[in-house]
Amino acid sequence: MSGLGLVPHGIDVANALAVADAQSGGQKQLISGTQATILCCTCGAPMVWNPAAMCANCIRTRTDITEGIPKSVPLQNCRNCGRYLNPPKAWTTCQPESKELMQICLKRIKGLNKVKLIDASFIWTEPHSKCLKLKLTIQKEVYSGVILQQVFVVEMVIHNFQCNNCHMVAAQNTWRAAVQVRQKVDHKRTFYLLEQLILKYKAHQQTVSVKEVPDGV
């Protein structure tokens, strides 16, 4: 019979196998394994096994990993100085399609902390369109061991606002607090120190006017 080898009676089988292995040079042939394929439980297409038992196309049609992420987000911009609102209260100067502007936009998009952000880039729009478009690539594990990747677009709608500095200028010397500092001494070392602190922390940029009066400011 083909495929079968007979060992004569009276010969030790272990010794016979050892002799045959020595005659072949001790080389053993290995059969390379292949990945098991199954049929998709939804469409019946052949696929490599995964915990969901569904092919990639069926998983995409049944699962939307962008759910909970808004596709339109407002973005505040000062109409006078052109700065953008960096929550909660800071106003930042950003060049078009810059890294700083991208960081502000990503902060405004809710739900990104629940997915893994792979890539983010700007899509060109008309300068007068009052909107910015971001192309985002995200990943999320939808089933045990099954990671889905999706690309979508988020539109940042620019709303015109007025920052605090521009509002103070437009209001023509409108102030919120008046401070008086007085000291009756022969020297002015205290006022010199106060002046240095004001310049160090740039407090003079937020003041409307500073007037010198006898024994104080």
Side-chain angles (χ1 to χ4, degrees):
M1 297 177 64
S2 61
L4 296 178
L6 300 179
V7 179
H9 179 71
I11 298 179
D12 189 0
V13 176
N15 292 336
L17 292 176
V19 172
D21 183 63
Q23 291 177 353
S24 63
Q27 298 178 355
K28 298 181 180 180
Q29 296 180 352
L30 300 177
I31 300 176
S32 59
T34 57
Q35 291 182 338
T37 58
I38 62 173
L39 298 180
C40 176
C41 64
T42 303
C43 64
M47 50 164 282
V48 179
W49 180 87
N50 61 50
M54 288 189 295
C55 63
N57 293 331
C58 292
I59 293 177
R60 291 191 186 96
T61 56
R62 290 173 174 264
T63 307
D64 183 15
I65 62 176
T66 65
E67 185 178 2
I69 301 177
K71 306 303 184 295
S72 180
V73 180
L75 182 65
Q76 289 76 20
N77 173 256
C78 180
R79 63 167 63 90
N80 296 326
C81 63
R83 295 185 298 176
Y84 291 89
L85 176 62
N86 190 3
K89 294 181 179 180
W91 292 85
T92 306
T93 302
C94 302
Q95 297 296 328
E97 300 186 4
S98 61
K99 294 182 179 179
E100 294 78 10
L101 183 57
M102 176 64 73
Q103 292 177 355
I104 294 177
C105 293
L106 294 179
K107 284 183 180 180
R108 304 299 302 234
I109 303 176
K110 298 180 180 180
L112 289 181
N113 56 341
K114 299 180 181 179
V115 297
K116 182 179 180 181
L117 181 62
I118 302 300
D119 185 40
S121 59
F122 285 99
I123 298 177
W124 186 85
T125 55
E126 293 287 346
H128 61 273
S129 62
K130 291 297 180 180
C131 71
L132 302 175
K133 291 186 178 181
L134 304 182
K135 181 180 179 182
L136 305 181
T137 304
I138 60 174
Q139 285 184 354
K140 185 178 182 181
E141 186 175 1
V142 292
Y143 297 99
S144 178
V146 179
I147 298 177
L148 190 63
Q149 179 171 311
Q150 191 169 346
V151 180
F152 65 105
V153 177
V154 176
E155 186 179 50
M156 310 295 298
V157 181
I158 298 178
H159 292 180
N160 289 330
F161 276 76
Q162 198 171 38
C163 66
N164 297 332
N165 295 340
C166 293
H167 178 71
M168 292 174 62
V169 174
Q172 296 181 357
N173 298 338
T174 298
W175 50 270
R176 290 177 293 181
V179 180
Q180 295 182 358
V181 181
R182 296 183 181 183
Q183 186 180 24
K184 293 184 178 182
V185 292
D186 297 333
H187 60 80
K188 294 187 178 181
R189 290 193 297 269
T190 304
F191 294 103
Y192 292 152
L193 177 61
L194 181 61
E195 182 181 3
Q196 293 176 0
L197 292 175
I198 291 175
L199 295 176
K200 178 181 179 181
Y201 294 101
K202 299 181 180 180
H204 62 284
Q205 296 180 357
Q206 305 295 332
T207 59
V208 176
S209 65
V210 178
K211 295 181 180 180
E212 184 178 358
V213 296
D215 300 328
V217 292

